[in-house]
């Protein structure tokens, strides 16, 4: 996600702000910028690219107050115009923002109708124009009134050259902290930006807003305006730990972000509904992707089949040389890719386009190559995924693919709107259910301690959870370097059963659905060969809360991500940087 920073004190704000942005770079970004106040004016330096590039091209000024931003694009691709900071029509009220403003389209429409001129495609730019609209002599009052209009998530900082003694901040869902210095104060999205300057911080809560001066910090309640007390904490992390927010590895941090990955993907529901209306007329549906993303595509295929709609899920390296020959203008390709830069997936899409196919992409990185050659894009909004092994992005893909399959079935009259609403209601409950699984991490680590010396793993599941076991097996392979086979459980007796013997671990997915008895038999077959069966179920070794079977892939993969992570660490491997692998495979 984006990173915001701010400084007010006696030292040179631009220098300090660029240093703070450098310490936010690990979060992943595509553009950066700063704004500072000098001689009654706002001075802005921003653009697409690295912090150092923006710094080299910036006008170095003498200022004691400023704000800054690293952008991870969500609305509007990476560009100079879309980079932050953003200002109002008169280049006065200047803000930086991290989060997603869900009602920005309505707000923007109203502001434009009132004569406001916008210069970007971002959701963020509505904020300075709202401040301009509500301003009647009091910056704080206009700021509060504007922020109260926002729906979605925000950590926002604002400055006004007419009131240069303060930075105004507010937060809801997106993190925002204040660093307490001596005759100076700092704001940032998280601790690495602040750590070298001060270890004393205040963590704002949702609906807090703050007036940050160089000698004082006042925090108030956004709804009531009442002053509130927030304790000053002392952080004892070093920078490296702080970048991982105290987690040992980015992969573990990103697994713990899986509840948010569900919430963020759900923010795309309306767009997905619109896209489904457009593509439901295409008779042939293909999910095309690589690796982990291809398993999300497979889940989409199984969900459509559940509703009587046939489709195909094909890995891109096969699709581009074979399946593509069957593509025509009655085909829709749903390409799934975290990076949006995977060579095989992009090549498949280009070949399919030549044959008249309609292209939809499910992507995490806004403005990536795949999004630029697609007819429509569904963003998972998972935020930057730093670890090579995909975890939270997979969860985001599953949510988006589940939604697109649901809405296609609805458009085709296979299911009712009531049923869709039921599933949407259950989806909203998934983040909490993932949280319950994460609370069980110690149990999962104990199972990893029993298994980490094994030299082969079997994963078995059926139907919607066949992709789940494929993903579980891939995770073990890519970060523990151990061979792992994933099989449709019903297939074991057609050969692989010969490999089972005393102590061979078999990870079995057993959701509470109409195939439970069949799965039970397969589990018995494994136990009869003295295999070590690890049951993933509501009451098994790896426990999962009850969930609608349609949504089971989203939940049942979480313990498998944690299991793979702990086995990797126990085998002395850095799960963030597995050998031979790249985060994005941009070559064939
Ligand atoms: C997943 O853990 C791997 N890193 C890999 O399989 C990845 O999913 C695959 O390369 C596809 O990448 P993409 O989603 O960026 O297209």
């Amino acid at each position: 996600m984006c990173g915001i920073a701010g400084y007010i004190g006696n030292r040179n704000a631009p220098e300090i702000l660029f240093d703070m942005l450098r310490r936010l770079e690990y979060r992943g970004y595509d553009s950066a910028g700063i704004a500072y106040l000098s001689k009654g004016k706002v001075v802005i330096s921003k653009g697409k690219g690295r912090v150092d590039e923006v710094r080299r091209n910036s006008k170095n000024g003498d200022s004691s107050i400023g704000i800054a931003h690293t952008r991870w694009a969500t609305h509007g691709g990476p560009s100079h115009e879309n980079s932050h900071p953003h200002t109002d029509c008169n280049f006065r009220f200047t803000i930086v923002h991290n989060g997603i403003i869900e009602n920005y389209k309505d707000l923007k429409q109203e502001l434009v109708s009132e004569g406001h001129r916008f210069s970007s495609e971002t959701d963020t730019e509505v904020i300075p124009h709202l401040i301009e609209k509500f301003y009647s002599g009091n910056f704080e009052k206009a700021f509060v009134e504007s922020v109260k209009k926002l729906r979605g998530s925000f950590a926002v900082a604002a400055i006004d050259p007419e009131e240069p003694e303060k930075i105004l901040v507010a937060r809801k869902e997106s993190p925002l902290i204040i660093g307490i210095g001596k005759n100076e104060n700092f704001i940032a999205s998280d601790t690495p930006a602040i750590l070298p300057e001060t270890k004393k911080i205040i963590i704002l809560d949702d609906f807090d807003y703050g007036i940050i001066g160089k000698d004082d910090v006042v925090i108030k309640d956004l709804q009531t305006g009442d002053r509130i007390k927030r304790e000053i904490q002392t952080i004892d992390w070093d920078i490296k730990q702080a970048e991982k927010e105290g987690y040992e590895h980015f992969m573990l941090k990103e697994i713990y972000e899986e509840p948010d990955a569900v919430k963020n993907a759900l923010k795309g529901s309306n767009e997905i509904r619109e896209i489904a209306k457009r593509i439901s007329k295409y008779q042939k549906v293909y999910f095309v992707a690589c690796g982990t993303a291809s398993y999300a595509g497979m889940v989409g295929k199984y969900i459509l089949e559940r509703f009587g709609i046939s489709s195909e899920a094909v890995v891109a390296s096969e699709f581009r040389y074979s399946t593509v020959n069957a593509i025509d203008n009655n085909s829709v390709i749903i390409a799934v890719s975290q990076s949006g830069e995977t060579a095989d997936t992009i090549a498949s899409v280009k070949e399919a386009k030549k044959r008249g196919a309609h292209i939809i992409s499910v992507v995490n990185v806004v403005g990536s190559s795949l999004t630029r050659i697609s007819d429509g894009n569904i963003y998972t909004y998972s935020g930057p995924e730093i670890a090579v092994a995909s975890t939270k992005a997979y969860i985001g893909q599953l949510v988006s693919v589940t939604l697109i399959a649901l809405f296609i079935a609805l458009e085709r009259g296979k299911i009712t709107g009531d049923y869709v609403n039921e599933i949407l209601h259950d989806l909203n409950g998934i983040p909490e259910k993932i949280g319950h699984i994460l609370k069980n991490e110690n149990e999962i680590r104990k199972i990893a301690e029993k298994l980490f010396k094994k030299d082969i793993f079997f994963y078995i599941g059926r139907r919607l959870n066949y992709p789940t076991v494929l993903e579980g097996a891939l995770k073990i392979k890519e970060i523990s370097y151990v061979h792992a086979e994933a099989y449709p459980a019903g297939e074991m007796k057609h050969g692989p059963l010969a490999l089972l013997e005393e102590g061979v671990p078999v990870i079995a997915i057993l959701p509470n659905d109409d195939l439970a008895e069949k799965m039970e038999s397969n589990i018995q077959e494994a136990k009869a060969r003295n295999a070590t069966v690890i049951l993933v179920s509501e009451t098994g070794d790896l426990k999962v809360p009850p969930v609608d079977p349609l949504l089971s892939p989203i939940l049942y993969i979480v313990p498998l991500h944690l299991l793979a992570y702990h086995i990797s660490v126990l085998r002395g491997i850095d799960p963030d940087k597995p050998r031979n692998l790249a985060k994005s495979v941009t070559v064939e």
Side-chain angles (χ1 to χ4, degrees):
M1 289 319 225
C2 306
I4 73 171
Y7 173 78
I8 183 165
N10 299 322
R11 291 187 286 156
N12 180 277
E15 285 303 306
I16 291 172
L17 290 170
F18 277 119
D19 289 342
M20 291 176 85
L21 289 187
R22 285 293 308 276
R23 295 193 291 267
L24 289 173
E25 285 191 300
Y26 77 92
R27 294 162 64 88
Y29 70 104
D30 47 59
S31 24
I34 73 164
Y36 56 86
L37 300 183
S38 173
K39 302 186 184 78
K41 293 259 181 289
V42 182
V43 179
I44 291 182
S45 299
K46 68 177 188 175
K48 182 179 171 185
R50 315 305 295 163
V51 170
D52 283 346
E53 286 169 67
V54 176
R55 185 172 209 158
R56 272 197 301 278
N57 302 328
S58 79
K59 308 175 266 298
N60 258 344
D62 181 22
S63 170
S64 61
I65 172 173
I67 53 179
H69 189 265
T70 50
R71 182 170 186 250
W72 167 266
T74 55
H75 291 75
S79 69
H80 179 277
E81 297 70 25
N82 289 335
S83 52
H84 302 204
H86 288 291
T87 71
D88 66 314
C89 302
N90 307 313
F91 211 76
R92 173 180 172 185
F93 301 112
T94 306
I95 67 104
V96 289
H97 163 242
N98 173 27
I100 294 176
I101 300 171
E102 294 167 9
N103 60 330
Y104 85 96
K105 282 183 181 163
D106 297 342
L107 293 170
K108 185 168 182 174
Q109 202 171 7
E110 192 177 328
L111 288 161
V112 168
S113 70
E114 292 162 358
H116 289 263
R117 298 174 311 286
F118 282 75
S119 57
S120 81
E121 307 159 273
T122 67
D123 53 336
T124 298
E125 195 187 353
V126 299
I127 304 175
H129 290 282
L130 284 170
I131 298 172
E132 177 190 4
K133 170 180 176 169
F134 293 125
Y135 184 77
S136 57
N138 181 314
F139 178 35
E140 178 184 337
K141 190 169 170 300
F143 175 78
V144 169
E145 207 165 336
S146 304
V147 171
K148 286 165 83 168
K149 291 285 183 195
L150 307 181
R151 279 210 318 279
S153 54
F154 53 83
V156 56
I159 51 178
D160 171 11
E162 311 257 328
E163 298 189 31
E165 73 290 347
K166 68 181 76 156
I167 299 175
L168 298 182
V169 295
R171 87 148 273 180
K172 175 178 170 271
E173 293 181 16
S174 297
L176 187 55
I177 57 177
I178 299 162
I180 308 296
K182 199 165 168 13
N183 305 121
E184 60 185 9
N185 288 310
F186 307 80
I187 63 135
S189 294
D190 62 15
T191 46
I194 287 177
L195 212 46
E197 303 287 355
T198 176
K199 288 182 176 279
K200 294 191 176 315
I201 62 166
I202 292 174
I203 300 175
L204 293 189
D205 273 356
D206 281 354
F207 301 109
D208 285 0
Y209 81 91
I211 302 99
I212 318 301
K214 73 179 181 65
D215 297 307
D216 64 346
V217 170
V218 174
I219 299 170
K220 297 183 180 178
D221 180 300
L222 202 54
Q223 315 292 3
T224 64
D226 297 342
R227 187 158 179 172
I228 36 185
K229 187 110 184 72
R230 290 274 176 255
E231 62 158 323
I232 294 180
Q233 303 176 38
T234 303
I235 28 179
D236 56 3
W237 285 341
D238 64 27
I239 272 276
K240 272 288 158 226
Q241 279 176 300
E243 284 178 356
K244 296 167 194 159
E245 289 173 18
Y247 290 100
E248 195 182 345
H249 298 101
F250 281 112
M251 183 176 173
L252 188 59
K253 174 172 171 266
E254 286 153 10
I255 291 172
Y256 272 79
E257 290 172 344
E258 289 186 344
D260 282 344
V262 173
K263 289 180 198 164
N264 288 331
L266 285 171
K267 288 175 179 165
S269 299
N270 293 338
E271 281 94 342
I272 295 173
R273 181 73 180 270
E274 289 313 304
I275 285 177
K277 284 180 185 158
R278 284 208 314 266
I279 66 172
S280 60
K281 64 175 185 276
Y282 293 95
Q283 281 316 301
K284 294 195 280 184
V285 182
Y286 295 83
F287 294 93
V288 179
C290 297
T292 289
S294 73
Y295 308 142
M298 284 178 73
V299 169
K301 166 192 158 314
Y302 277 108
I303 291 179
L304 284 176
E305 275 173 0
R306 170 72 64 86
F307 305 129
I309 298 169
S310 67
S311 68
E312 282 197 54
V314 188
V315 289
S317 52
E318 291 294 301
F319 179 92
R320 65 185 292 190
Y321 296 113
S322 179
T323 321
V324 75
N325 298 319
I327 298 302
D328 58 23
N329 58 11
N330 198 9
S331 310
V332 58
I333 310 298
I334 300 176
V336 185
S337 175
Q338 187 284 129
S339 63
E341 301 299 343
T342 300
D344 281 322
T345 309
I346 289 171
S348 297
V349 162
K350 286 179 176 171
E351 286 304 317
K353 280 185 81 154
K354 284 179 197 161
R355 292 162 174 79
H358 188 83
I359 311 296
I360 297 298
S361 294
V362 176
V363 181
N364 189 33
V365 181
V366 174
S368 54
S369 305
L370 186 56
T371 62
R372 293 201 296 273
I373 59 173
S374 300
D375 299 301
N377 293 308
I378 294 169
Y379 290 117
T380 57
Y381 302 121
S382 306
E385 189 174 66
I386 311 290
V388 167
S390 188
T391 51
K392 66 171 181 175
Y394 178 62
I395 296 290
Q397 290 163 0
L398 286 177
V399 172
S400 297
V401 163
T402 299
L403 289 173
I404 191 80
L406 267 175
F407 289 135
I408 288 173
L410 178 65
E411 290 304 315
R412 298 239 191 128
K414 302 285 187 180
I415 53 176
T416 65
D418 288 348
Y419 175 72
V420 170
N421 290 334
E422 261 174 55
I423 296 295
L424 289 174
H425 175 267
D426 291 347
L427 268 169
N428 280 300
I430 294 284
E432 187 183 349
K433 291 175 188 272
I434 294 178
H436 288 311
I437 297 170
L438 297 174
K439 285 199 183 88
N440 257 348
E441 184 187 354
N442 282 335
E443 294 311 305
I444 297 170
R445 183 192 291 110
K446 283 184 192 138
I447 291 173
E449 283 159 2
K450 285 193 201 121
L451 299 178
F452 79 97
K453 291 199 173 84
K454 299 292 183 181
D455 55 9
I456 183 167
F457 284 78
F458 272 92
Y459 286 73
I460 59 172
R462 282 178 175 261
R463 213 165 42 184
L464 270 166
N465 286 299
Y466 172 41
T468 303
V469 295
L470 284 166
E471 163 63 6
L474 176 66
K475 281 292 136 348
I476 280 256
K477 281 183 266 202
E478 66 175 324
I479 62 173
S480 303
Y481 314 153
V482 178
H483 186 62
E485 288 268 11
Y487 264 91
E491 270 298 289
M492 287 299 285
K493 54 188 171 298
H494 299 286
L497 216 51
L499 284 169
L500 296 194
E501 57 188 356
E502 175 81 28
V504 171
V506 175
I507 319 288
I509 305 283
L510 177 61
N512 186 8
D513 64 10
D514 58 328
L515 291 182
E517 278 178 21
K518 303 280 183 209
M519 264 313 287
E520 287 284 1
S521 320
N522 301 138
I523 290 162
Q524 289 314 316
E525 286 158 11
K527 285 182 174 170
R529 276 81 187 168
N530 303 316
T532 304
V533 173
I534 306 295
L535 200 50
V536 190
S537 70
E538 293 175 21
T539 55
D541 308 287
L542 297 175
K543 288 182 179 47
V544 177
V547 68
D548 186 304
L550 197 78
L551 305 179
S552 56
I554 307 172
L555 228 44
Y556 279 71
I557 193 56
V558 176
L560 303 191
H561 280 165
L562 279 172
L563 181 68
Y565 168 78
H566 283 295
I567 288 175
S568 174
V569 171
L570 286 162
R571 291 173 70 92
I573 293 165
D574 176 356
D576 286 344
K577 303 185 189 73
R579 68 186 182 197
N580 310 339
L581 300 179
K583 182 59 188 169
S584 176
V585 183
T586 54
V587 295
E588 254 209 75

PDB file of all heavy atoms in Angstrom, residues 39 57 122 164-165 200 253-254 281 295 330 336 347 362 382 496 518 554 559:
ATOM      1  N   LYS A  39       7.701  30.540   1.943  1.00  0.00           N
ATOM      2  CA  LYS A  39       7.290  31.906   1.592  1.00  0.00           C
ATOM      3  C   LYS A  39       5.800  31.974   1.204  1.00  0.00           C
ATOM      4  O   LYS A  39       5.414  32.502   0.148  1.00  0.00           O
ATOM      5  CB  LYS A  39       8.146  32.432   0.417  1.00  0.00           C
ATOM      6  CG  LYS A  39       9.664  32.429   0.699  1.00  0.00           C
ATOM      7  CD  LYS A  39      10.451  33.104  -0.441  1.00  0.00           C
ATOM      8  CE  LYS A  39      11.945  33.022  -0.220  1.00  0.00           C
ATOM      9  NZ  LYS A  39      12.468  31.660  -0.578  1.00  0.00           N
ATOM     10  N   ASN A  57      15.306  15.389  -9.086  1.00  0.00           N
ATOM     11  CA  ASN A  57      14.609  16.391  -9.906  1.00  0.00           C
ATOM     12  C   ASN A  57      13.890  17.448  -9.064  1.00  0.00           C
ATOM     13  O   ASN A  57      13.151  18.274  -9.609  1.00  0.00           O
ATOM     14  CB  ASN A  57      13.570  15.679 -10.798  1.00  0.00           C
ATOM     15  CG  ASN A  57      14.241  14.647 -11.688  1.00  0.00           C
ATOM     16  OD1 ASN A  57      15.387  14.847 -12.090  1.00  0.00           O
ATOM     17  ND2 ASN A  57      13.585  13.533 -11.926  1.00  0.00           N
ATOM     18  N   THR A 122      -7.042   9.776  -9.717  1.00  0.00           N
ATOM     19  CA  THR A 122      -7.017   9.096  -8.411  1.00  0.00           C
ATOM     20  C   THR A 122      -8.295   9.349  -7.624  1.00  0.00           C
ATOM     21  O   THR A 122      -9.000  10.332  -7.842  1.00  0.00           O
ATOM     22  CB  THR A 122      -5.833   9.634  -7.555  1.00  0.00           C
ATOM     23  OG1 THR A 122      -6.115  10.996  -7.244  1.00  0.00           O
ATOM     24  CG2 THR A 122      -4.517   9.493  -8.291  1.00  0.00           C
ATOM     25  N   PRO A 164       0.711  27.808   8.333  1.00  0.00           N
ATOM     26  CA  PRO A 164       1.932  26.990   8.185  1.00  0.00           C
ATOM     27  C   PRO A 164       2.465  26.419   9.496  1.00  0.00           C
ATOM     28  O   PRO A 164       3.558  25.853   9.519  1.00  0.00           O
ATOM     29  CB  PRO A 164       2.918  27.978   7.583  1.00  0.00           C
ATOM     30  CG  PRO A 164       2.481  29.296   8.098  1.00  0.00           C
ATOM     31  CD  PRO A 164       0.975  29.246   8.237  1.00  0.00           C
ATOM     32  N   GLU A 165       1.678  26.564  10.579  1.00  0.00           N
ATOM     33  CA  GLU A 165       2.218  26.071  11.859  1.00  0.00           C
ATOM     34  C   GLU A 165       1.645  24.698  12.211  1.00  0.00           C
ATOM     35  O   GLU A 165       1.803  24.224  13.325  1.00  0.00           O
ATOM     36  CB  GLU A 165       1.910  27.085  12.962  1.00  0.00           C
ATOM     37  CG  GLU A 165       0.458  27.136  13.419  1.00  0.00           C
ATOM     38  CD  GLU A 165      -0.489  27.732  12.367  1.00  0.00           C
ATOM     39  OE1 GLU A 165       0.001  28.329  11.369  1.00  0.00           O
ATOM     40  OE2 GLU A 165      -1.715  27.568  12.520  1.00  0.00           O
ATOM     41  N   LYS A 200       9.752   7.548  20.233  1.00  0.00           N
ATOM     42  CA  LYS A 200       8.494   7.839  20.938  1.00  0.00           C
ATOM     43  C   LYS A 200       7.397   8.060  19.899  1.00  0.00           C
ATOM     44  O   LYS A 200       7.524   8.953  19.044  1.00  0.00           O
ATOM     45  CB  LYS A 200       8.652   9.086  21.807  1.00  0.00           C
ATOM     46  CG  LYS A 200       9.628   8.914  22.975  1.00  0.00           C
ATOM     47  CD  LYS A 200       9.543  10.074  23.945  1.00  0.00           C
ATOM     48  CE  LYS A 200      10.451   9.832  25.153  1.00  0.00           C
ATOM     49  NZ  LYS A 200      10.299   8.449  25.666  1.00  0.00           N
ATOM     50  N   LYS A 253       4.334 -11.901   7.677  1.00  0.00           N
ATOM     51  CA  LYS A 253       3.559 -10.642   7.757  1.00  0.00           C
ATOM     52  C   LYS A 253       2.433 -10.668   6.735  1.00  0.00           C
ATOM     53  O   LYS A 253       1.290 -10.326   7.025  1.00  0.00           O
ATOM     54  CB  LYS A 253       4.497  -9.467   7.486  1.00  0.00           C
ATOM     55  CG  LYS A 253       3.844  -8.102   7.391  1.00  0.00           C
ATOM     56  CD  LYS A 253       4.898  -7.004   7.325  1.00  0.00           C
ATOM     57  CE  LYS A 253       4.294  -5.650   7.021  1.00  0.00           C
ATOM     58  NZ  LYS A 253       4.319  -5.325   5.570  1.00  0.00           N
ATOM     59  N   GLU A 254       2.728 -11.142   5.526  1.00  0.00           N
ATOM     60  CA  GLU A 254       1.719 -11.148   4.469  1.00  0.00           C
ATOM     61  C   GLU A 254       0.641 -12.204   4.712  1.00  0.00           C
ATOM     62  O   GLU A 254      -0.517 -12.001   4.359  1.00  0.00           O
ATOM     63  CB  GLU A 254       2.402 -11.305   3.102  1.00  0.00           C
ATOM     64  CG  GLU A 254       3.092 -10.003   2.707  1.00  0.00           C
ATOM     65  CD  GLU A 254       4.297 -10.148   1.780  1.00  0.00           C
ATOM     66  OE1 GLU A 254       4.531 -11.249   1.261  1.00  0.00           O
ATOM     67  OE2 GLU A 254       4.998  -9.152   1.581  1.00  0.00           O
ATOM     68  N   LYS A 281     -22.225 -12.874 -21.838  1.00  0.00           N
ATOM     69  CA  LYS A 281     -22.743 -13.320 -23.151  1.00  0.00           C
ATOM     70  C   LYS A 281     -21.722 -14.221 -23.868  1.00  0.00           C
ATOM     71  O   LYS A 281     -22.065 -14.986 -24.754  1.00  0.00           O
ATOM     72  CB  LYS A 281     -23.058 -12.111 -24.040  1.00  0.00           C
ATOM     73  CG  LYS A 281     -21.852 -11.252 -24.420  1.00  0.00           C
ATOM     74  CD  LYS A 281     -22.262 -10.151 -25.391  1.00  0.00           C
ATOM     75  CE  LYS A 281     -21.097  -9.334 -25.911  1.00  0.00           C
ATOM     76  NZ  LYS A 281     -20.713  -8.247 -24.989  1.00  0.00           N
ATOM     77  N   TYR A 295      -4.119 -21.623  -9.768  1.00  0.00           N
ATOM     78  CA  TYR A 295      -5.007 -22.377  -8.872  1.00  0.00           C
ATOM     79  C   TYR A 295      -6.251 -21.537  -8.529  1.00  0.00           C
ATOM     80  O   TYR A 295      -7.343 -22.056  -8.357  1.00  0.00           O
ATOM     81  CB  TYR A 295      -4.265 -22.797  -7.598  1.00  0.00           C
ATOM     82  CG  TYR A 295      -2.972 -23.520  -7.892  1.00  0.00           C
ATOM     83  CD1 TYR A 295      -1.837 -23.325  -7.112  1.00  0.00           C
ATOM     84  CD2 TYR A 295      -2.865 -24.379  -8.989  1.00  0.00           C
ATOM     85  CE1 TYR A 295      -0.636 -23.968  -7.395  1.00  0.00           C
ATOM     86  CE2 TYR A 295      -1.668 -25.017  -9.286  1.00  0.00           C
ATOM     87  CZ  TYR A 295      -0.568 -24.805  -8.496  1.00  0.00           C
ATOM     88  OH  TYR A 295       0.619 -25.425  -8.800  1.00  0.00           O
ATOM     89  N   ASN A 330     -16.148 -15.595 -29.494  1.00  0.00           N
ATOM     90  CA  ASN A 330     -17.179 -15.935 -28.510  1.00  0.00           C
ATOM     91  C   ASN A 330     -16.515 -16.396 -27.205  1.00  0.00           C
ATOM     92  O   ASN A 330     -17.114 -17.069 -26.381  1.00  0.00           O
ATOM     93  CB  ASN A 330     -18.076 -17.070 -29.058  1.00  0.00           C
ATOM     94  CG  ASN A 330     -19.384 -17.139 -28.274  1.00  0.00           C
ATOM     95  OD1 ASN A 330     -19.687 -16.251 -27.457  1.00  0.00           O
ATOM     96  ND2 ASN A 330     -20.138 -18.189 -28.489  1.00  0.00           N
ATOM     97  N   VAL A 336      -5.359 -14.250 -14.655  1.00  0.00           N
ATOM     98  CA  VAL A 336      -5.129 -13.964 -13.225  1.00  0.00           C
ATOM     99  C   VAL A 336      -3.627 -13.802 -12.997  1.00  0.00           C
ATOM    100  O   VAL A 336      -2.841 -14.662 -13.397  1.00  0.00           O
ATOM    101  CB  VAL A 336      -5.670 -15.102 -12.336  1.00  0.00           C
ATOM    102  CG1 VAL A 336      -5.537 -14.736 -10.848  1.00  0.00           C
ATOM    103  CG2 VAL A 336      -7.138 -15.393 -12.673  1.00  0.00           C
ATOM    104  N   ALA A 347       1.620 -13.303 -22.944  1.00  0.00           N
ATOM    105  CA  ALA A 347       1.680 -13.855 -24.315  1.00  0.00           C
ATOM    106  C   ALA A 347       0.372 -14.564 -24.659  1.00  0.00           C
ATOM    107  O   ALA A 347      -0.165 -14.434 -25.763  1.00  0.00           O
ATOM    108  CB  ALA A 347       2.852 -14.830 -24.415  1.00  0.00           C
ATOM    109  N   VAL A 362      -7.483 -10.232 -13.654  1.00  0.00           N
ATOM    110  CA  VAL A 362      -7.577 -10.126 -12.182  1.00  0.00           C
ATOM    111  C   VAL A 362      -6.153  -9.891 -11.705  1.00  0.00           C
ATOM    112  O   VAL A 362      -5.309 -10.788 -11.763  1.00  0.00           O
ATOM    113  CB  VAL A 362      -8.144 -11.420 -11.560  1.00  0.00           C
ATOM    114  CG1 VAL A 362      -8.139 -11.318 -10.023  1.00  0.00           C
ATOM    115  CG2 VAL A 362      -9.556 -11.682 -12.075  1.00  0.00           C
ATOM    116  N   SER A 382      -4.505  -5.999  -2.961  1.00  0.00           N
ATOM    117  CA  SER A 382      -3.861  -6.713  -1.839  1.00  0.00           C
ATOM    118  C   SER A 382      -2.694  -5.931  -1.257  1.00  0.00           C
ATOM    119  O   SER A 382      -2.172  -6.313  -0.216  1.00  0.00           O
ATOM    120  CB  SER A 382      -3.352  -8.076  -2.324  1.00  0.00           C
ATOM    121  OG  SER A 382      -4.400  -8.795  -2.942  1.00  0.00           O
ATOM    122  N   PRO A 496      -0.810 -43.511  -7.120  1.00  0.00           N
ATOM    123  CA  PRO A 496       0.012 -42.871  -6.071  1.00  0.00           C
ATOM    124  C   PRO A 496      -0.048 -43.592  -4.721  1.00  0.00           C
ATOM    125  O   PRO A 496       0.862 -43.491  -3.924  1.00  0.00           O
ATOM    126  CB  PRO A 496      -0.583 -41.477  -5.970  1.00  0.00           C
ATOM    127  CG  PRO A 496      -1.272 -41.253  -7.257  1.00  0.00           C
ATOM    128  CD  PRO A 496      -1.769 -42.578  -7.706  1.00  0.00           C
ATOM    129  N   LYS A 518     -16.860 -39.417   0.939  1.00  0.00           N
ATOM    130  CA  LYS A 518     -15.868 -39.893  -0.050  1.00  0.00           C
ATOM    131  C   LYS A 518     -14.459 -39.568   0.443  1.00  0.00           C
ATOM    132  O   LYS A 518     -13.549 -40.389   0.377  1.00  0.00           O
ATOM    133  CB  LYS A 518     -16.084 -39.189  -1.408  1.00  0.00           C
ATOM    134  CG  LYS A 518     -17.446 -39.358  -1.997  1.00  0.00           C
ATOM    135  CD  LYS A 518     -17.579 -40.712  -2.699  1.00  0.00           C
ATOM    136  CE  LYS A 518     -18.960 -40.832  -3.358  1.00  0.00           C
ATOM    137  NZ  LYS A 518     -19.391 -42.231  -3.434  1.00  0.00           N
ATOM    138  N   ILE A 554     -10.864 -20.370   0.202  1.00  0.00           N
ATOM    139  CA  ILE A 554     -10.262 -19.152   0.783  1.00  0.00           C
ATOM    140  C   ILE A 554      -9.778 -19.437   2.193  1.00  0.00           C
ATOM    141  O   ILE A 554      -8.728 -18.991   2.632  1.00  0.00           O
ATOM    142  CB  ILE A 554     -11.278 -17.996   0.798  1.00  0.00           C
ATOM    143  CG1 ILE A 554     -11.885 -17.780  -0.589  1.00  0.00           C
ATOM    144  CG2 ILE A 554     -10.626 -16.698   1.296  1.00  0.00           C
ATOM    145  CD1 ILE A 554     -13.039 -16.791  -0.628  1.00  0.00           C
ATOM    146  N   PRO A 559      -4.157 -22.401   6.752  1.00  0.00           N
ATOM    147  CA  PRO A 559      -3.264 -23.247   7.553  1.00  0.00           C
ATOM    148  C   PRO A 559      -2.146 -23.872   6.720  1.00  0.00           C
ATOM    149  O   PRO A 559      -1.047 -24.111   7.226  1.00  0.00           O
ATOM    150  CB  PRO A 559      -4.185 -24.315   8.145  1.00  0.00           C
ATOM    151  CG  PRO A 559      -5.453 -24.254   7.409  1.00  0.00           C
ATOM    152  CD  PRO A 559      -5.560 -22.895   6.818  1.00  0.00           C
TER     153      PRO A 559
END
